[in-house]
Amino acid sequence: MAQIVKIIFFFIFVTFLVSCNTTKYVKDNEYLLHENTIYIDETKSSDADLYSYIIQRPNPKTAGIPIPLIFYNFGDPEFEKSFDEWIINHPERYNSLKNVFSSKQTNVIYNTEVGFNNWFLNKGQAPEIVDLNKAKKTVNSLRSYYFSKGFFDVEVSLSDTIIKEKQKDIAYHIKPNDRYYIDTIKSQISSAVLDSIYRNNLDDSFLKSGEPFVFNKFELEDQRLLKLYRNSGIYHFKSNNIGFWTDSTKMDYRKEITLRIPNRTITKKDSTYSVPYRIQKIKNVNVYTNFDLANIGAVQKDSASYNGINFFAKEKLEYKPKHLSQSIFIHPDSIYRDEDLSLTLNHLRKLQNFKSGISVKYKENEDETLDANIYLNPLKKYALTFNVDATTSNIKPFGILGKFSFLDRNVFKGSELFEISFQGSFLNVTKDASNSSSFFNAWEFLSNASLTFPRILFPFNTSSIIPKRMSPQTNINISYGTQKNIGLDRNALTAGFGYNWRTSKKAGHKLDLYNVQYIKNQNVDNYFIIYDSEYNKLNDASEDIFGVPLPQDNTVLNAFMDVVLDPNKNYDETHPDSYDEVSDVNERRDILIEDVLVPVISYSFNYNTKENINDQDFYFFTGRIVAAGNLTTALSFDTNSNGQKLMLGVPIAQYLKTEVEFKRYWDFKKDNILVFRTFVGAAFPYGNSNNIPFSRSYSAGGSNDIRAWRTYDLGPGGVENNLEFNVGSFKIVTNFEYRFKLMNNIYSALFIDLGNIWDITDSDLVSDQGKFTSLSSLKNIAIGSGFGIRYDFNFLVFRFDTGFKTYEPYLTESDKWLRHYNFSNAVYNIGINYPF
């Protein structure tokens, strides 16, 4: 009944929005712009790129409702600008308020009304009134667009139609007519060296005979030639040296093209003359390591040279030339190249050792060679930062986080970065094992130290495999984390040594040569408090076998399991169901409380086509493979009673894991974006392990996953259980999310999430419904759907997503679809920034 009331309320609310008067503030003889339409040869066009050339657009709508306009109409643009004016225009209201309130209080009421009124006006959007001048500009814009595509005889007109009171539609009619094509392409290049370079690279030209005459192709060819010449030693070449001429004498819609590049023009004093372009070489490369505009003429007291590059400092050189030269791609006796300049600037910035004003100035010598002068201004060697943040999740509903960091630059005089940080959190957790009455009933602490080298540290020279232009880095890190009243109060000590590099702007690689984590559970006595569903199973078994309940006491529960599992008691024959349940609880407990050493070697590859921060039409791929325990088990000779190899007294985890993730973003313009994401991961224990460590297993659900379920609540497969933390060794997740703008900085999204976790280790603890045995197991994929509201603060996005259980694979066949599709069973997710 409650759900029906909610649905009725929703429809009443939508009806109210639709029925709002959208022309409330449209004056007489004015018209609200309702819709723009483009017709090409009288056929309606849906080309989004074409519509982007329309200058004036209707008020934005969501599901056909102009929400920003409705918000605006709740306000009043003619509201009195002063209290005195308000008194004059509303004497009766003023007098009625004055009888109850003082003059000062009445003024406060007025200011409150002003505040509400301005809020609606500022958050909403004023009605978009038809402006024929803007429409005419759109006609010219569309004509220019078609002209640039080779339709030189295009005809564009407009018409307007009154569709209802004070509302108009605008239509743009385009008649493209015949298109023009490129006929022959000739070149008139005065400098022999330029002509030679041009002809040697003619196959890369964007201009082809027989193709449409498109302006953009000429722009691309202009950029290609500029890049080609400036990367071939032609230092003085500029874009304005290039000219394209056309012959319009032919009448068959084909144009002849002539590329003209004259000689270089030089002006000295009162005379101007031209000379052929020539290839210029670099003579000297000078690096000023502590340049400051305030001391621009200071004497350089220290200097050194490495591989022909000269390094200078006002006092003492703080950077080793051998290492700093790894970020410099301009070399003596090489030809001038823009590419070398760009690489040098990018690599020097990535060192994070110098201020943003890194510059390279070229000086031309009498013999026409060039000197490259590189100016660097170091950042302060030491830096301290402190951050405070708030965190939230379904396991940790609220927490306050503080982080203190210390950074040391140029540690070994090779632009290295050393950072040490300490992070602490006070948390409110859902599973409180401490019986604390305070709101913050848990805490965790993490310390981390990292050392980054801007080069590969390896016994052998790797420059032939990973050259310096790939921005190689070596990363060394060690961290320690401890918890109190969070789960079993896990302590984790982690150390790693690895490399990362980029083979192109889009492709990146990361190799963890060795990463080892030691995990120790400090408070295993809390197991049956944290996992109270396991306690309930033992309690049911006790009532079945002995007819008495059990206290939630770790010692008593362990003794109970020892008794039931004692082979001499024969409970496996007298009470087989309870015996199996107790055996499963005991085995799960042994897995979850076990201390473990996880040594891994991993490699990951990512490919990202995103061009810049504003690019919303791209795709991202990442693949990762992990091998754990192979080397460590080979070096270990210590074993436990189960035959497992040990190191530091704890079992060594041994498994193979592989993961792939693909994300695709489609930009439909006007802040409308469709996102597709899919993830597949599998982990296979072998050798020294029969299972995957809990911390390295897969879980399903949560604010960045399948949002209709909380983290750890879903799976495995079609199993319905009440375990607090469900994990698996195989995972598939696919997400679809459509993002759109509501108004100002407020955005929304509609999403569908699909996926689940399964077991592929053939564990006795998981039933057949929870195992992935064949493609038929995909029938147990769960489906969630929902909507979200996001507020963009520019520096971060606050996200509130509501997920509804759409398909629940663990329910009976007749109840799988939409059984709990309601607000009372929805999951509400709070997150920072987008989920993917």
Side-chain angles (χ1 to χ4, degrees):
M1 182 66 185
Q3 189 64 23
I4 294 175
V5 172
K6 291 176 184 176
I7 294 173
I8 293 174
F9 175 79
F10 175 75
F11 277 108
I12 292 174
F13 177 69
V14 171
T15 303
F16 167 73
L17 290 179
V18 173
S19 62
C20 286
N21 182 11
T22 55
T23 59
K24 181 178 180 180
Y25 293 120
V26 177
K27 299 177 182 178
D28 293 338
N29 300 320
E30 289 185 342
Y31 295 92
L32 178 72
L33 179 57
H34 175 261
E35 185 179 23
N36 288 315
T37 309
I38 296 176
Y39 294 93
I40 302 175
D41 286 333
E42 302 308 319
T43 301
K44 185 177 180 179
S45 172
S46 59
D47 187 344
D49 287 336
L50 200 56
Y51 278 85
S52 68
Y53 287 88
I54 296 179
I55 295 171
Q56 186 181 32
R57 302 176 188 181
N59 295 94
K61 298 177 182 178
T62 301
I65 302 172
I67 295 177
L69 175 58
I70 291 173
F71 256 68
Y72 182 89
N73 287 344
F74 283 144
D76 182 0
E78 301 298 326
F79 198 88
E80 289 78 6
K81 299 297 186 285
S82 70
F83 185 50
D84 292 337
E85 185 182 352
W86 181 74
I87 293 174
I88 294 172
N89 292 339
H90 303 277
E92 294 181 1
R93 177 164 166 74
Y94 171 69
N95 290 327
S96 64
L97 289 172
K98 189 177 180 182
N99 292 332
V100 181
F101 303 102
S102 67
S103 179
K104 185 176 182 180
Q105 290 172 326
T106 304
N107 197 348
V108 171
I109 293 173
Y110 160 76
N111 287 326
T112 302
E113 291 184 0
V114 169
F116 276 111
N117 184 73
N118 290 341
W119 187 85
F120 281 116
L121 295 179
N122 293 333
K123 295 300 179 182
Q125 185 185 71
E128 191 66 47
I129 305 301
V130 171
D131 186 336
L132 289 180
N133 287 327
K134 290 182 179 179
K136 291 175 182 177
K137 289 180 180 178
T138 297
V139 168
N140 292 332
S141 180
L142 291 171
R143 184 181 292 115
S144 297
Y145 169 78
Y146 268 84
F147 196 87
S148 72
K149 297 297 182 181
F151 296 95
F152 299 143
D153 302 322
V154 63
E155 300 173 40
V156 184
S157 60
L158 69 88
S159 63
D160 58 319
T161 306
I162 300 174
I163 59 164
K164 59 178 72 172
E165 185 181 2
K166 293 187 177 182
Q167 293 192 45
K168 270 188 178 183
D169 284 347
I170 301 292
Y172 298 95
H173 306 272
I174 302 173
K175 187 178 181 181
N177 294 316
D178 291 323
R179 195 176 201 177
Y180 284 73
Y181 290 81
I182 296 174
D183 191 5
T184 57
I185 303 171
K186 301 176 181 179
S187 64
Q188 295 177 3
I189 302 175
S190 300
S191 299
V193 65
L194 295 191
D195 189 58
S196 176
I197 294 171
Y198 171 77
R199 296 188 183 282
N200 288 336
N201 296 273
L202 196 54
D203 290 343
D204 298 327
S205 176
F206 288 95
L207 302 179
K208 306 290 183 183
S209 178
E211 290 190 353
F213 194 105
V214 178
F215 286 8
N216 178 250
K217 291 293 184 73
F218 287 84
E219 293 171 2
L220 292 173
E221 180 68 1
D222 185 286
Q223 295 168 14
R224 182 187 77 89
L225 292 175
L226 178 65
K227 183 178 179 180
L228 174 64
Y229 288 137
R230 291 189 63 84
N231 283 314
S232 300
I234 314 300
Y235 171 70
H236 286 287
F237 193 84
K238 295 179 175 58
S239 178
N240 58 12
N241 299 133
I242 301 172
F244 293 101
W245 298 77
T246 63
D247 183 357
S248 304
T249 57
K250 292 192 174 184
M251 303 300 294
D252 57 353
Y253 303 103
R254 301 177 72 85
K255 289 180 175 287
E256 290 185 351
I257 307 299
T258 301
L259 166 66
R260 292 178 181 174
I261 303 177
N263 282 333
R264 175 190 169 199
T265 299
I266 300 176
T267 300
K268 284 188 178 182
K269 296 182 179 180
D270 296 331
S271 61
T272 299
Y273 57 95
S274 63
V275 296
Y277 286 96
R278 58 166 295 178
I279 294 174
Q280 293 180 267
K281 286 190 172 185
I282 306 298
K283 185 175 184 179
N284 298 302
V285 179
N286 304 313
V287 183
Y288 298 90
T289 59
N290 54 358
F291 177 79
D292 188 348
L293 286 173
N295 300 296
I296 193 168
V299 177
Q300 306 298 315
K301 297 180 181 179
D302 196 9
S303 64
S305 181
Y306 183 82
N307 281 349
I309 301 174
N310 305 314
F311 297 85
F312 300 94
K314 284 181 289 187
E315 296 298 334
K316 183 179 179 181
L317 277 171
E318 297 294 337
Y319 294 88
K320 292 181 179 179
K322 176 182 178 181
H323 297 316
L324 191 54
S325 67
Q326 295 299 302
S327 296
I328 298 173
F329 296 82
I330 305 169
H331 298 286
D333 205 38
S334 64
I335 64 171
Y336 171 85
R337 281 188 288 259
D338 271 0
E339 185 179 88
D340 295 341
L341 170 61
S342 179
L343 281 170
T344 298
L345 291 172
N346 289 337
H347 280 246
L348 288 171
R349 290 177 186 131
K350 287 178 182 177
L351 294 178
Q352 300 178 50
N353 269 250
F354 305 103
K355 294 181 180 179
S356 58
I358 298 171
S359 65
V360 179
K361 304 294 185 183
Y362 288 91
K363 176 186 175 184
E364 191 167 11
N365 300 309
E366 291 294 331
D367 59 359
E368 296 191 353
T369 59
L370 301 171
D371 285 350
N373 297 309
I374 302 172
Y375 299 98
L376 308 175
N377 191 356
L379 291 163
K380 291 182 179 179
K381 181 172 176 59
Y382 304 111
L384 297 174
T385 58
F386 180 73
N387 299 310
V388 177
D389 203 352
T391 63
T392 181
S393 70
N394 60 293
I395 298 173
K396 307 169 188 176
F398 183 75
I400 297 295
L401 178 150
K403 183 178 181 181
F404 171 80
S405 300
F406 167 77
L407 179 66
D408 182 3
R409 298 183 177 91
N410 197 33
V411 183
F412 305 115
K413 299 187 181 300
S415 303
E416 303 84 6
L417 296 173
F418 173 73
E419 183 175 14
I420 184 168
S421 63
F422 303 94
Q423 177 177 304
S425 305
F426 291 100
L427 304 159
N428 168 263
V429 296
T430 53
K431 285 289 183 179
D432 185 2
S434 67
N435 297 317
S436 171
S437 59
S438 62
F439 178 76
F440 290 111
N441 52 13
W443 57 264
E444 60 184 347
F445 174 79
L446 175 67
S447 60
N448 182 77
S450 65
L451 182 60
T452 302
F453 295 83
R455 53 192 174 276
I456 296 292
L457 293 185
F458 201 73
F460 310 106
N461 189 341
T462 60
S463 60
S464 60
I465 304 171
I466 307 175
K468 67 179 186 178
R469 67 176 53 245
M470 293 184 181
S471 303
Q473 284 185 331
T474 300
N475 303 297
I476 304 171
N477 64 78
I478 184 169
S479 65
Y480 172 74
T482 184
Q483 301 173 328
K484 183 64 177 178
N485 197 30
I486 301 174
L488 301 178
D489 295 347
R490 187 180 72 177
N491 283 6
L493 178 65
T494 307
F497 182 94
Y499 310 108
N500 58 269
W501 67 95
R502 303 197 67 81
T503 48
S504 70
K505 181 181 176 181
K506 298 176 181 178
H509 308 258
K510 182 178 180 181
L511 173 65
D512 282 324
L513 201 59
Y514 202 71
N515 183 289
V516 60
Q517 185 177 57
Y518 171 64
I519 300 171
K520 182 174 179 60
N521 294 299
Q522 293 287 92
N523 207 346
V524 295
D525 289 344
N526 279 344
Y527 181 83
F528 289 109
I529 297 176
I530 301 301
Y531 299 90
D532 54 12
S533 63
E534 299 287 72
Y535 159 73
N536 293 332
K537 292 183 177 67
L538 295 184
N539 195 50
D540 292 342
S542 177
E543 291 185 342
D544 175 46
I545 298 174
F546 301 115
V548 295
L550 292 171
Q552 201 165 359
D553 179 88
N554 190 69
T555 304
V556 174
L557 295 169
N558 285 336
F560 169 74
M561 289 192 294
D562 290 340
V563 170
V564 173
L565 299 178
D566 185 345
N568 297 319
K569 303 295 185 180
N570 296 322
Y571 288 121
D572 57 333
E573 297 179 1
T574 58
H575 297 81
D577 292 340
S578 292
Y579 178 89
D580 289 342
E581 193 73 86
V582 172
S583 178
D584 288 349
V585 170
N586 184 62
E587 188 173 345
R588 272 194 298 268
R589 178 181 179 276
D590 288 344
I591 292 173
L592 291 174
I593 69 172
E594 182 182 47
D595 299 333
V596 64
L597 188 74
V598 188
V600 305
I601 299 173
S602 68
Y603 167 76
S604 59
F605 168 78
N606 65 77
Y607 192 86
N608 190 350
T609 64
K610 187 168 187 174
E611 294 292 337
N612 53 60
I613 193 172
N614 297 316
D615 186 3
Q616 298 295 336
D617 201 305
F618 66 97
Y619 66 87
F620 174 87
F621 170 82
T622 183
R624 184 169 181 254
I625 185 167
V626 179
N630 293 336
L631 178 61
T632 312
T633 53
L635 298 175
S636 173
F637 300 98
D638 188 15
T639 60
N640 61 14
S641 58
N642 295 324
Q644 285 183 296
K645 289 192 173 184
L646 308 176
M647 182 167 284
L648 303 177
V650 297
I652 302 168
Q654 190 171 15
Y655 61 87
L656 182 69
K657 177 188 278 191
T658 182
E659 300 171 343
V660 293
E661 183 180 29
F662 179 79
K663 293 183 284 189
R664 179 70 170 95
Y665 297 75
W666 289 273
D667 187 357
F668 295 129
K669 311 298 181 185
K670 299 181 182 179
D671 295 305
N672 289 267
I673 298 170
L674 177 64
V675 184
F676 165 78
R677 175 234 183 188
T678 190
F679 171 90
V680 180
F684 308 90
Y686 64 96
N688 206 50
S689 298
N690 295 319
N691 54 74
I692 306 298
F694 178 81
S695 63
R696 304 302 173 97
S697 298
Y698 295 110
S699 63
S703 61
N704 298 327
D705 200 78
I706 307 173
R707 284 161 281 188
W709 284 264
R710 294 181 176 86
T711 308
Y712 294 111
D713 279 1
L714 178 61
V719 175
E720 181 178 23
N721 58 54
N722 55 1
L723 293 177
E724 286 77 7
F725 300 94
N726 296 293
V727 294
S729 49
F730 181 61
K731 180 176 183 177
I732 298 177
V733 173
T734 295
N735 311 90
F736 295 91
E737 182 168 284
Y738 179 65
R739 301 168 183 167
F740 53 94
K741 186 174 185 177
L742 292 178
M743 67 180 78
N744 296 324
N745 288 359
I746 303 175
Y747 295 78
S748 186
L750 303 174
F751 59 82
I752 299 175
D753 303 325
L754 309 91
N756 210 330
I757 54 172
W758 291 265
D759 174 69
I760 55 174
T761 66
D762 200 27
S763 170
D764 294 334
L765 301 177
V766 181
S767 67
D768 290 342
Q769 284 297 310
K771 295 180 179 180
F772 194 95
T773 55
S774 65
L775 291 178
S776 63
S777 299
L778 294 176
K779 67 183 180 183
N780 289 324
I781 282 182
I783 303 176
S785 59
F787 63 91
I789 298 294
R790 288 84 187 268
Y791 190 90
D792 189 348
F793 289 94
N794 294 323
F795 60 92
L796 62 83
V797 175
F798 176 80
R799 176 166 53 91
F800 182 81
D801 291 341
T802 302
F804 300 95
K805 296 176 178 63
T806 307
Y807 180 82
E808 301 173 74
Y810 43 79
L811 298 182
T812 59
E813 198 64 39
S814 59
D815 289 335
K816 291 180 185 294
W817 285 100
L818 306 177
R819 177 66 178 84
H820 297 113
Y821 199 91
N822 50 55
F823 283 97
S824 60
N825 288 283
V827 173
Y828 302 98
N829 302 273
I830 295 176
I832 301 298
N833 294 325
Y834 291 106
F836 36 78

